[in-house]
Amino acid sequence: MSEKEKKVRELSAEEVLQKFDKQSDKRELTGVWGKIISAICILFALFQLYTATFGVLDAHLQRAIHLAFGFLLIFLLYPSRHSWSRSKMHPFDAFLALLSAGTAMYLVVNYQELVLRAGMNTETDFIVGLIGTIMVFEAARRVVGWPMIIVAFCFMLYAFLGPYVPGILAHRGVGVQEMFDHLFFTTEGIFGTPMGVSSTFIYLFILFGAYLETTGLGKFFIDIANAIAGWAAGGPAKVAVLSSGLMGTVSGSSVGNVAGTGAFTIPMMKKLGYRPAFAGAVEAAASTGGQLMPPVMGAAAFLMAEFVGVPYFDVVKAAVIPAMLYYIGVWLGVHYEAKKFGLKGTPRDQLPKFKTLFLEKGHLAIPLIVIVYLLVSGYTPMRAALAAIVLTIVCACLRKSTRIGFKQIVQGLVDGSKGVLGVLIACATAGIIIGVVTKTGVGLKIATALLDLAGGNLLPAMFFTMITSLILGMGVPTTANYVITSTIAAPALVQMNVPVLAAHMFAFYFGIVADVTPPVALAAYAGAGIAGANPMRTGVIAAKLAIAAFIVPYIFVLAPELLMINATPFTICYSAFTAIVGMWGASMAMIGFCNNLLNIPQRILFLVGGICMIIPGVFTDGIGVALVAVAYVWQRMNKVKGAIQQDGEDL
């Protein structure tokens, strides 16, 4: 690849990030302002590392300082208007940075007095809380975008207009001062559980990810994927699936993953012969799956453990088989698309050698392996992340080619602080939603309304929960996505005696898959931007490739053994095996190809049979095997018949 081609790809990825990922559209400052921002980032990182090492502060103090740093950086880095310069600081943004940070530090300075007053807030408290909440909205607008702002604002209106809301959703209403005092001066609003997790676990894992990126692990993943699968049928597409899955273990953004790996894989797919829309869709589906992939799951795994009240390891364990099924489904879809159009892989002599790569850069993956081991062994996420950060730096220094110096270590602190801003402000905004829910009880009311709409039946309730999660998840970052869907959609399933973890995982899956579901499919649109394809068509194809994400959640609610809930090793292995075979059938039905093109009846047989095999149970597995076998034999007979006819024509 020439230097010119590399620059074009890098520019394309950067443009895509700025267009579809608000968090990437920030100022790049030099001079005095650049040094000031770097200093704030370093202080932010040192505060987080200090409290992680020697113990976190009282909840409100820890979270308020965390938000104060976030406010400063957001208003300094993200311009108020899209037309404002990205290379100069605007005085208005500098003023808002100080004002917003001041509202958070008001809690720190007056902490003892606020505790002694025990909720008896003054007029000054109310004004600070009002300004602080407005600053959260404004910061979220700059970093996260409008979708989440609209959701949070609608909840605020609901709190104030409760007596005028008709039907089951009506409530007595909340006063203005009562509402803002609740949101800003309790741990049930802006400084609630999401902010608590952001100020502890999430920051450290994002800092860990920043150091992994500094050491070149992302490029290593792409090279390893090329060595493993680049030579196979449709090789570059399989490289996209594999590398995006590996990147997803530490990535916190579907769009960021698309831009990071897609800049390399999408042009490779197009060069091989894949349609531009399909190339963009493969990367979008694979990158979105990264948010479902343990151990980080876009930072939502830590929140899920807190919300559900189970050990973090239980969340990771539950997510393994569904994530595996998702990627198998995407991989098979790519494989049969390649077979359908006769697309071959890259010649082996043009690919990196696995053994050479492993010997030269395999040590970069040690921290990732160690952090998984520590989490499984019962270490807290904070301790595991701290150890992994130190180990990342140490491992990078094992070889001269990957060694990082003091300057890069400091830059890692800066990158980590900048990288957390999107999650931080999304958690603060999600806290507003949670605050309204706890104050009005709207979560229970919506759950009751969904159950009434479903007539008390589980399958319709799951369908309505799916639609709700898809709508709520549109254009919302992963962490906030989970907070919203788990607060609003999941309670309906919990009321129907679905295991709490299964209900939360169900809502989370459909919130995430909104990134590849038209009309608001940000990951698919990002892939289309790099591929130069039609965005809507790319979204439709991505949704087809992500078929597992639309099927598997229904299955693990009906049969929680797929989440390893109350399951034996035998039932887990058996359910996983039959589900994989079922995904094979469903993938062929989606692509419309087996040995040759499938007709409509054959596709229906493969799809229904595949779904039956994904559903755990001897009876459904038997039906699934029979249907898939009939479809496969029928397809083979068509192929033989076509070959005989071709031989006759040749004679």
Side-chain angles (χ1 to χ4, degrees), residues 287-357:
S287 295
T288 298
Q291 307 306 290
L292 309 172
M293 176 65 71
V296 177
M297 297 166 65
F302 311 111
L303 280 171
M304 196 175 294
E306 292 287 327
F307 280 20
V308 177
V310 298
Y312 166 80
F313 177 64
D314 285 0
V315 175
V316 171
K317 182 177 68 174
V320 169
I321 294 178
M324 180 179 68
L325 291 175
Y326 179 90
Y327 273 103
I328 288 172
V330 178
W331 182 282
L332 289 170
V334 163
H335 176 74
Y336 283 108
E337 176 78 5
K339 289 291 188 181
K340 184 177 179 179
F341 291 100
L343 304 177
K344 301 186 182 299
T346 305
R348 286 181 185 268
D349 59 0
Q350 297 179 22
L351 295 171
K353 304 297 181 184
F354 180 85
K355 183 178 179 181
T356 304
L357 281 172

